[in-house]
Amino acid sequence: MLGLMQSQPLLISSLLEFAERHHGDGEIVSRRVEGDIHRYTYRDLAARSRQVARAIEGMGLQFSDRVATLAWNGYRHLEMYFGVSGSGRVLHTVNPRLHPDQIAWIVNHAEDQVLCFDLTFLPLVQAVHARCPTVRQWVALCDTDRLPADSGVPGLISYEQWIGAQPSDYAWPSFDENSASSMCYTSGTTGNPKAALYSHRSSVLHAYAAALPDVMGLSAKDSVLPVVPMFHVNAWGIPYSAPLTGCKLVFPGPALDGRSVYELIEAEGVTFAAGVPTVWQMLLGHMKPGGLRFSHLNRTVIGGSACPPAMINAFQDDYGVEVLHAWGMTEMSPLGTLCTLKNKHLALPPEERMKIRLKQGRAIFGVDMKIVDGNGDELPWDGKAYGDLLVKGPWVVADYFRNEGASPLYADKQGRGWFPTGDVATIDADGYMQITDRSKDVIKSGGEWISSIDIENIAMGHPGVAMAACIGMPHPKWDERPVVAVVKKPGAEFSREDLLAYFEGKTAKWQIPDDVIFVEAIPLGATGKMLKTRLREQLKGYRLPGL
Ligand code: ADP
């Protein structure tokens, strides 16, 4: 017997329809590429998203055809999120920090037909357009009078020209909720990039989940600043959870330096912000010298790479901002776990609570996870046993777009498919997961594993260290030994020996790095994460002391 409830597909357009009807005057504020501040409402967003849909219809694009963006976080990008997906086409958000060759490769792989870009990325478009034969229309996300006269990009039009003449009375179509809505390529540190292809259903379910109190806890009372880019995993789903809750949205555009982000947080009464640790490092670096304070910010989600304890402490103790440590990946839309306490933890002393907060957190309803050993057997949840972390759920990939390889899923003994995350983790008795390492970064010394994240976290606790990356170096006896590459804070004075002494008592003796290498900068990848492969290349020829 079937239930007798209305059957309504979960579609991205419904999020926008809801916001227009119930939060029509809710504010959306964007810092534009031009530097000025733009303000409008969910009502305006809805009308202009319908114009985008009309412009796409007008070009004769078919259902599921791809429309790409190369853009910062801003209102026009948001209109593309709804206009493209809502009309049944697939939004392909391209990461502008990728190498031009990679960008050309993924635009061709996705067969993008329209590509809309912020003028910041005009040089990039000039470099790749001739190699992207599937793109029939290049659109600059700007006012018509800002369009460069001789861009060298054939047929280039402005976004306002493209959508301006369109009526805004488009009716969002209804279709199967499992239809593709958007796609994002993983950075592909090895081999070609692979695309996660999200569906309307997966995106809407993820939007509900992300807004839950023990996840991001978004509400209509919040003013929300996604610093995390809309070109990488849909800014952690905030563009979808925001209209679902009716919160105020604040977009930073291209200005991601500490000062600009701080000014925006203060000017727009931001209560909640989300970003990767490197961005918050710049923010705290700007605030500390001037003794600046936050007037409204009360919580921030930090994820994408391990959040150093020193950062969690600084936010909490110095600024009264609660840090929610989160873990996820492109293949998971991206949220998997988020770290909030349980009722029973509230009575614990502060140090005990802090130990929990450093973990990557508990699974969100919708995501199941387990850790397994080399034979695929599940390991205990005791906070000590570590193994490969596997996940499954309705917003986890089943396969990659046009994947020519084998299925990425791993079938367990019951025949259920799990996605192997490539992370190594522990899970404790309360279900809190802690990432030990990415499986390719873990350091194998004398048959034991050393967590590069643990070593980096300790190094980052030293007052003179701006950034630290720990990698394994070949050793004839131990297989590998850890060394830590360190960027000093400006003006900091300390030696290799000082830093090695700082490790004493903070980790087991055999885990203390064999060497400290001072570097100008640690190479970062397209999503702001440390690129250890490149660091290893840079340190080619390096030999451990005494070898
Ligand atoms: P890529 O950078 O390869 O495109 P993603 O952006 O999808 O990949 O990143 C996913 C990976 O980032 C995870 O598998 C994990 O290794 C790492 N990661 C994400 N959040 C955290 C976190 N809070 N702590 C440690 N590692 C994290």
Side-chain angles (χ1 to χ4, degrees), residues 376-490:
D377 291 323
E378 184 162 6
L379 291 164
W381 290 22
D382 59 7
K384 293 190 187 75
Y386 52 82
D388 293 316
L389 180 62
L390 311 182
V391 291
K392 64 186 183 69
W395 58 80
V396 177
V397 293
D399 205 345
Y400 293 105
F401 175 65
R402 293 193 177 155
N403 183 19
E404 275 137 34
S407 159
L409 295 195
Y410 169 91
D412 66 13
K413 287 178 182 141
Q414 289 75 37
R416 287 174 304 215
W418 294 77
F419 179 76
T421 63
D423 288 324
V424 176
T426 61
I427 305 178
D428 70 19
D430 289 319
Y432 286 79
M433 184 275 287
Q434 184 157 30
I435 302 276
T436 316
D437 234 321
R438 272 196 141 169
S439 49
K440 58 182 186 296
D441 292 337
V442 85
I443 296 156
K444 289 140 202 133
S445 173
E448 298 281 347
W449 284 9
I450 300 174
S451 153
S452 67
I453 294 179
D454 283 352
I455 303 299
E456 287 154 12
N457 280 346
I458 296 172
M460 293 285 288
H462 186 282
V465 172
M467 204 186 265
C470 177
I471 55 173
M473 283 291 178
H475 190 282
K477 179 168 175 200
W478 302 112
D479 193 10
E480 282 184 331
R481 288 295 301 153
V483 300
V484 63
V486 162
V487 181
K488 284 186 179 178
K489 284 187 185 160

Side-chain angles (χ1 to χ4, degrees), residues 271-527:
T271 55
F272 174 91
V276 296
T278 34
V279 164
W280 300 136
Q281 196 88 26
M282 290 193 281
L283 177 68
L284 295 178
H286 168 71
M287 292 179 67
K288 193 148 190 193
L292 300 171
R293 313 288 310 164
F294 292 118
S295 2
H296 294 88
L297 189 74
N298 57 53
R299 61 204 200 286
T300 166
V301 171
I302 303 186
S305 42
C307 180
M311 184 174 288
I312 300 186
N313 286 328
F315 266 113
Q316 192 153 303
D317 301 342
D318 304 344
Y319 300 102
V321 174
E322 183 185 12
V323 169
L324 305 168
H325 196 188
W327 167 84
M329 56 197 312
T330 306
E331 287 88 339
M332 300 176 70
S333 306
L335 291 176
T337 64
L338 209 118
C339 197
T340 51
L341 299 179
K342 294 184 176 181
N343 181 271
K344 68 176 183 181
H345 297 136
L346 300 180
L348 290 175
E351 323 78 73
E352 293 298 312
R353 273 184 287 163
M354 183 49 82
K355 273 193 205 149
I356 300 171
R357 302 206 77 113
L358 294 178
K359 301 191 175 194
Q360 275 72 11
R362 294 183 275 125
I364 300 164
F365 172 73
V367 174
D368 195 7
M369 62 181 181
K370 65 176 178 179
I371 42 174
V372 296
D373 64 15
N375 299 320
D377 291 323
E378 184 162 6
L379 291 164
W381 290 22
D382 59 7
K384 293 190 187 75
Y386 52 82
D388 293 316
L389 180 62
L390 311 182
V391 291
K392 64 186 183 69
W395 58 80
V396 177
V397 293
D399 205 345
Y400 293 105
F401 175 65
R402 293 193 177 155
N403 183 19
E404 275 137 34
S407 159
L409 295 195
Y410 169 91
D412 66 13
K413 287 178 182 141
Q414 289 75 37
R416 287 174 304 215
W418 294 77
F419 179 76
T421 63
D423 288 324
V424 176
T426 61
I427 305 178
D428 70 19
D430 289 319
Y432 286 79
M433 184 275 287
Q434 184 157 30
I435 302 276
T436 316
D437 234 321
R438 272 196 141 169
S439 49
K440 58 182 186 296
D441 292 337
V442 85
I443 296 156
K444 289 140 202 133
S445 173
E448 298 281 347
W449 284 9
I450 300 174
S451 153
S452 67
I453 294 179
D454 283 352
I455 303 299
E456 287 154 12
N457 280 346
I458 296 172
M460 293 285 288
H462 186 282
V465 172
M467 204 186 265
C470 177
I471 55 173
M473 283 291 178
H475 190 282
K477 179 168 175 200
W478 302 112
D479 193 10
E480 282 184 331
R481 288 295 301 153
V483 300
V484 63
V486 162
V487 181
K488 284 186 179 178
K489 284 187 185 160
E493 293 275 347
F494 62 95
S495 65
R496 164 188 185 275
E497 287 68 28
D498 296 334
L499 188 61
L500 291 179
Y502 179 77
F503 276 91
E504 300 282 345
K506 295 190 177 71
T507 184
K509 239 183 160 44
W510 63 274
Q511 298 195 345
I512 295 180
D514 278 15
D515 201 4
V516 175
I517 305 167
F518 292 106
V519 291
E520 288 295 314
I522 308 254
L524 297 180
T527 57

